[in-house]
């Protein structure tokens, strides 16, 4: 059957998050200034179980699928796209543990995040590096003898993470096939976090570099099917970013639509001019199409559709939704005119957040390369389709 | 109910059936039909028979299904997913040949207004002629005029009551199957000053005195489909042919009849565009597989990959929006905005697909040969952003439903 309607449970959950997200919109500027979501809000979100939707019941989570997660993430981002990055846990971190670790790993690592004081805890994924290795393909960060050495960049939640999932080279002769994932405690010896970066948007995200010098590391998972699992990690986390992009796009659209109703020029509301109305119509199509693509990809994963199918739908969702959000943010400022440029209105933030979101986890370009590789039957390799220092870096 | 995208077995079977027909029988003849400006009658006869047995008649629902629907008790009416099923089949058939769908015998675009507004007697009379499947018959829908295209309310074709007849004067143009149709649903006005309230819809039968066919158009694409000009000179139509009877026109009903047709047909037209776009996309994708040594990527490869992916996701997005519009119709939920979104997105995504597919294939993509239909698809697709409401009209429909108190621009 084909249906575009969330179930009753999903609708109830979403409605609850929508009303919570109204407070996020109110507080968005305060969070931005503080570069963090308040403890009170994190506590409320944690109480609603928002950070542990995907975490299996064995680790104290709800064990829900990606459709529910997409609905919830969209609703949060509708309130404040940045706030989604400031709630406890961390979408990338949780997903990395789930996809790359064993069930025991997940139970052991994630149960701290579902505990009562989980609202204080963050995790991070240390994936990116600033420059390509000039000698060979792969990361410059090396893992050997249970220790990691190297510098990772563009790490979301870097300065507040308790735990890192670190990707490092284990076999220097194997290029991108020679990497593995490790778990490193933030307070372990040899771990240094650089000062937080100032970013264009999503200030809440807490982006910094992390330096590892002979830091003790435990391997995450058994390393089997590593490339497939890593691609799945990026596709599913990218899909969550796409769901946030839909929330951002809808928020920017709604605020702008209301503005066009109220703002008058030449004796009538500006929405009554075709140049403005058609622009709104185009953005409405962007939002609706992006949401449908996200739902379709999430449903494919939840249903257990063939891997390539789910990856292809995810790639479509990621590239379309990220670009749609950017168009919605851009046009939101444009239609507000000079006022849109002022921080009195939320749209300039939506626009900055949209650009930043386009650089989170997977870019539209990478999603396009993934889709094309599936369609023309190219092997899916990390070097060709994921964000690497050799291609295009992202915040993970 | 929840969010899901699994087709029913019936839908999957129909999709696979139409796909295999499109691939093995339709495509091989596509270019010949295009050159000959016609499709063999025997072929159309077989297709009509098959479409009826599948409960699917190309544009809209087949006549027999409309009849059944009329006669069946309410509880037994059409299967709930009829719109979505039609959308699925249309995409597959258009993938084979788009003009064919416009040539399928049956009431065509004339069906929906008769179904929506006709009296029981009218439905019986006008749909009844399609019962004999051995004789090819068409219905058509005549709205556009030389001076009124998108501005439907501005039609000038006049009608006045004269005893038991109505007298129609004026011209209609760009009417699909208009010349060969057994009847046309013709929109005319009792007084242009009344705007939409002055509109009347008539079923004008072939051979009615004063009705004649003008020129047959020579088109960029969809050349196998007949596009005709219709001329009405003191054309006398019996009062029984006024669609819905006179009491129906106390309000703006006449115009609404014209418009209601579109909420159901726009997703179908959108899915046809997606079918053509997908054909072009798959052609380019296979061309890339065959012509590039993928183990030796050249700089052009990544650029092509991105271009292909953009086309692919554009079509995927349009398909989702189209499915949603059809699903809303199946659920009995108002879908005017979503139907227009589907039409607007699909037209553009498919045009993009055809333009980019030719670019990717280089010179070879522009050459007409029997097995390379890219240049044909490029010609066929353009009108999908024009007929059934241009992309601009779709945006008017959409924005009126987004912006407060917007009556007109």
């Amino acid at each position: 059957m084909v249906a575009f309607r969330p179930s009753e449970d999903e609708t109830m959950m979403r409605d609850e998050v929508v009303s919570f997200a109204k407070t996020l919109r109110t507080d968005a500027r305060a969070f931005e200034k503080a570069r963090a979501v308040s403890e009170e809000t994190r506590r409320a979100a944690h109480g609603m179980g928002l950070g542990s939707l995907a975490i299996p019941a064995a680790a104290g989570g709800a064990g829900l699928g990606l459709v529910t997660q997409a609905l919830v993430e969209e609703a949060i981002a509708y309130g404040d796209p940045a706030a989604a990055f400031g709630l406890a846990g961390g979408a990338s971190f949780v997903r990395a543990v789930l996809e790359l670790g064993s069930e025991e790993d997940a139970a052991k690592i994630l149960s701290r995040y579902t505990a009562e004081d989980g609202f204080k805890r963050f995790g991070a994924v240390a994936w990116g590096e600033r420059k390509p290795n000039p000698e060979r393909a792969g990361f410059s960060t090396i893992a050997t003898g249970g220790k990691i050495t190297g510098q990772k960049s563009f790490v979301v939640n870097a300065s507040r993470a308790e735990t890192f999932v670190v990707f490092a080279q284990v076999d220097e002769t194997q290029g991108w096939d020679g990497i593995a994932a490790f778990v490193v405690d933030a307070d372990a010896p040899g771990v240094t976090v650089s000062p937080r970066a100032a970013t264009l948007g999503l200030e809440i995200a807490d982006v910094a570099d992390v330096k590892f010098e002979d830091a003790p590391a435990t391997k995450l998972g058994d390393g089997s099917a590593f490339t497939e699992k890593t691609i799945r990690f990026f596709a599913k986390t990218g899909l969550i970013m796409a769901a946030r992009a839909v929330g951002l796009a809808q928020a920017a659209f709604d605020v702008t639509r209301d503005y066009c109703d109220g703002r008058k020029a030449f004796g009538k509301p500006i929405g009554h001019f075709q140049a403005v109305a058609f622009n709104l119509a185009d953005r409405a199509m962007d939002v609706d199409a992006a949401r449908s693509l996200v739902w379709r990809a999430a449903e494919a994963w939840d249903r257990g559709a063939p891997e390539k199918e789910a990856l292809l739908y995810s790639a479509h969702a990621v590239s379309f939704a990220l670009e749609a959000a950017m168009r919605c943010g851009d046009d939101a400022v444009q239609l507000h005119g000079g006022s849109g440029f002022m921080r009195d209105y939320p749209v300039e933030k939506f626009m900055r957040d949209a650009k930043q979101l386009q650089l989170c986890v997977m870019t539209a370009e990478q999603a396009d390369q993934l889709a094309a590789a599936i369609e023309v039957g190219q092997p899916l390799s990390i070097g060709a389709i994921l964000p690497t220092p050799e291609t295009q870096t992202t915040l993970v | 109910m929840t969010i899901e995208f699994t087709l029913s077995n019936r839908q999957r079977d129909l999709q696979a059936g139409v796909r295999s027909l499109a691939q093995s029988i339709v495509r091989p003849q596509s270019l010949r039909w295009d050159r000959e400006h016609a499709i063999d009658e025997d072929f159309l006869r077989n297709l009509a028979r098959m479409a009826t047995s599948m409960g699917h008649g190309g544009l809209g629902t087949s006549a027999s299904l409309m009849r059944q629907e009329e006669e069946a008790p309410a509880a037994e009416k059409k299967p709930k997913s009829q719109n979505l099923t039609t959308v699925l089949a249309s995409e597959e058939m258009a993938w084979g040949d788009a003009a064919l769908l416009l040539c399928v015998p049956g009431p065509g675009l004339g069906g929906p207004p008769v179904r929506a507004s006709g009296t029981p007697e009218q439905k019986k009379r006008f749909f009844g002629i399609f019962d004999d499947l051995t004789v090819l018959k068409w219905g058509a829908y005549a709205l556009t005029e030389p001076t009124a295209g998108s501005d439907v309310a501005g039609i000038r074709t006049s009608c006045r009551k004269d005893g038991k007849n109505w007298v129609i004067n004026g011209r209609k143009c760009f009417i699909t199957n208009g010349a060969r149709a057994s009847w046309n649903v013709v929109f005319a006005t009792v007084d242009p000053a009344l705007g939409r309230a002055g509109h009347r819809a008539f079923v004008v039968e072939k051979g009615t005195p004063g009705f004649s066919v003008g020129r047959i158009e020579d088109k960029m694409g969809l050349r196998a489909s007949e596009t005709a000009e219709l001329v009405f000179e003191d054309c006398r139509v019996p009062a029984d042919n006024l669609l819905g009877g006179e009491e129906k026109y106390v309000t703006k009903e006449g115009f609404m009849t014209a418009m209601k047709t579109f909420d159901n047909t726009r997703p179908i037209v959108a899915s046809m565009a997606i079918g053509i776009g997908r054909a072009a996309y798959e052609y380019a994708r296979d061309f890339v597989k065959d012509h590039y040594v993928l183990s030796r990527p050249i700089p052009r490869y990544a650029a092509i990959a991105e271009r292909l992916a953009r086309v692919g996701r554009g079509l995927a997005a349009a398909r989702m929006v189209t499915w949603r519009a059809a699903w809303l119709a199946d659920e009995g939920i108002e879908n005017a905005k979503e139907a227009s979104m589907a039409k607007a997105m699909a037209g553009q995504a498919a045009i993009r697909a055809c333009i980019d597919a030719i670019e990717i294939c280089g010179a070879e993509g522009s050459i007409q040969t029997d097995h390379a239909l890219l240049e044909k698809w490029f010609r066929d697709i353009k009108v999908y952003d024009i007929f059934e409401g241009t992309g601009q009209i779709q945006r008017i429909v959409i924005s009126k439903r987004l912006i407060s108190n917007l009556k007109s621009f």
Side-chain angles (χ1 to χ4, degrees), chain A residues 264-270 273:
Chain A
K264 289 203 169 92
F266 307 101
K268 55 181 182 177
I270 60 171
F273 292 95

Side-chain angles (χ1 to χ4, degrees), chain A residues 24-281:
Chain A
L24 297 178
R25 180 75 64 84
T26 314
D27 294 338
R29 290 298 190 185
F31 294 161
E32 185 186 20
K33 203 171 254 172
R35 306 177 86 196
V37 172
S38 69
E39 185 177 313
E40 187 196 347
T41 301
R42 273 187 281 126
R43 209 189 273 268
H46 190 68
M48 292 165 72
L50 300 189
S52 51
L53 292 177
I55 298 177
L64 291 168
L66 278 163
V67 169
T68 313
Q69 235 189 320
L71 293 168
V72 167
E73 291 282 356
E74 179 192 330
I76 296 172
Y78 183 81
D80 176 18
F85 289 85
L87 299 178
S92 297
F93 171 72
V94 169
R95 186 52 65 184
V97 173
L98 292 178
E99 298 300 329
L100 291 147
S102 64
E103 276 176 38
E104 296 75 49
D105 288 335
K108 197 173 129 221
I109 298 166
L110 297 177
S111 51
R112 290 164 65 205
Y113 292 84
T114 57
E116 207 168 320
D117 63 351
F119 67 90
K120 294 179 189 167
R121 301 182 196 283
F122 291 87
V125 173
W127 167 272
E129 291 182 7
R130 236 167 249 275
K131 281 188 168 177
N133 188 313
E135 311 294 331
R136 54 166 176 82
F139 285 129
S140 299
T141 299
I142 309 277
T144 175
K147 307 244 168 161
I148 289 186
T149 298
Q151 176 149 336
K152 295 303 234 181
S153 297
F154 316 119
V155 179
V156 171
N157 285 344
S159 62
R160 57 194 174 206
E162 294 186 358
T163 316
F164 291 101
V165 171
V166 187
F167 288 83
Q169 202 74 27
V170 287
D171 184 344
E172 294 189 56
T173 65
Q174 293 298 308
W176 292 108
D177 293 329
I179 60 176
F182 298 85
V183 179
V184 179
D185 276 346
D187 52 11
V191 178
T192 323
V193 179
S194 72
R196 262 176 90 159
T199 50
L200 170 69
L202 305 175
E203 281 93 337
I204 290 170
D206 178 21
V207 179
D209 286 11
V210 187
K211 202 169 178 183
F212 301 93
E213 288 164 297
D214 280 333
T218 323
K219 202 160 179 193
L220 180 62
D222 58 6
S224 65
F226 180 80
T227 297
E228 288 82 349
K229 288 177 183 171
T230 303
I231 290 170
R232 211 175 296 144
F233 156 64
F234 271 96
K236 289 185 184 179
T237 317
L239 187 57
I240 292 168
M241 298 304 128
R244 291 180 185 176
V246 174
L248 189 160
Q250 183 77 63
F253 175 84
D254 285 354
V255 167
T256 306
R257 195 209 66 87
D258 290 351
Y259 183 82
C260 293
D261 260 359
R263 173 76 179 181
K264 289 203 169 92
F266 307 101
K268 55 181 182 177
I270 60 171
H272 290 209
F273 292 95
Q274 278 193 353
V276 174
F278 280 21
N279 182 294
L280 286 172

Side-chain angles (χ1 to χ4, degrees), chain B residues 139-172:
Chain B
Y141 179 88
L143 181 60
T144 299
E145 297 182 5
T147 56
S150 294
D151 184 9
V152 173
I155 55 169
R156 289 288 173 272
T157 294
S158 68
C159 59
R160 63 182 166 81
K161 190 85 186 279
D162 181 24
K164 286 188 169 174
N165 292 312
W166 285 82
V167 181
I168 302 179
N169 276 289
R171 274 165 191 272
K172 294 287 176 182

Side-chain angles (χ1 to χ4, degrees), chain B residues 196-384:
Chain B
R196 293 161 187 190
H199 288 189
R200 300 290 181 272
F202 300 92
V203 180
V204 179
E205 290 159 283
K206 200 175 194 167
T208 304
F211 165 56
S212 61
V213 173
R215 60 180 283 178
I216 303 292
E217 302 291 343
D218 190 16
K219 305 188 295 295
M220 176 187 190
L222 296 181
R223 293 171 69 82
S225 160
E226 173 194 278
T227 308
E229 179 191 31
L230 310 180
V231 183
F232 303 89
E233 288 163 318
D234 285 333
C235 171
R236 298 181 76 82
V237 179
D240 285 348
N241 287 29
L242 177 65
L243 205 53
E246 248 173 280
E247 53 284 9
K248 194 130 198 156
Y249 295 88
V250 202
T251 55
K252 283 183 178 175
E253 194 71 31
F255 183 76
M256 290 324 284
T257 300
M259 292 298 103
K260 257 185 209 154
T261 305
F262 294 128
D263 294 348
N264 284 329
T265 54
R266 278 175 178 156
I268 300 171
V269 175
S271 68
M272 290 160 64
I274 294 167
I276 302 172
R278 196 185 96 211
Y281 170 74
E282 289 175 358
Y283 187 95
R285 180 197 64 194
D286 295 344
F287 183 93
V288 169
K289 271 194 212 172
D290 289 350
H291 288 74
Y292 287 87
V293 182
L294 295 174
S295 57
R296 272 189 284 125
I298 53 168
R300 184 165 152 73
Y301 176 74
I304 285 176
E306 178 169 356
R307 204 155 185 164
L308 263 184
R310 274 184 181 278
V311 169
R313 67 162 132 121
L315 293 170
R319 183 180 294 113
M320 280 300 97
V321 172
T322 301
W323 283 18
R324 184 183 60 153
W327 173 79
L328 285 169
D330 286 334
E331 291 287 302
I333 301 169
E334 158 72 30
N335 75 340
K337 182 179 80 181
E338 290 77 10
S340 282
M341 286 181 163
K343 172 73 174 53
M345 288 193 74
Q348 283 193 336
I351 290 168
R352 197 73 249 158
C354 292
I355 293 173
D356 281 3
I358 290 199
E359 181 72 20
I360 287 169
C361 298
E364 199 177 321
S366 66
I367 291 170
Q368 189 177 91
T369 59
D370 276 329
H371 302 290
L373 298 167
L374 262 192
E375 72 79 30
K376 177 178 182 294
W377 294 326
F378 182 99
R379 290 187 286 106
D380 286 347
I381 192 58
K382 182 58 211 173
V383 78
Y384 284 80

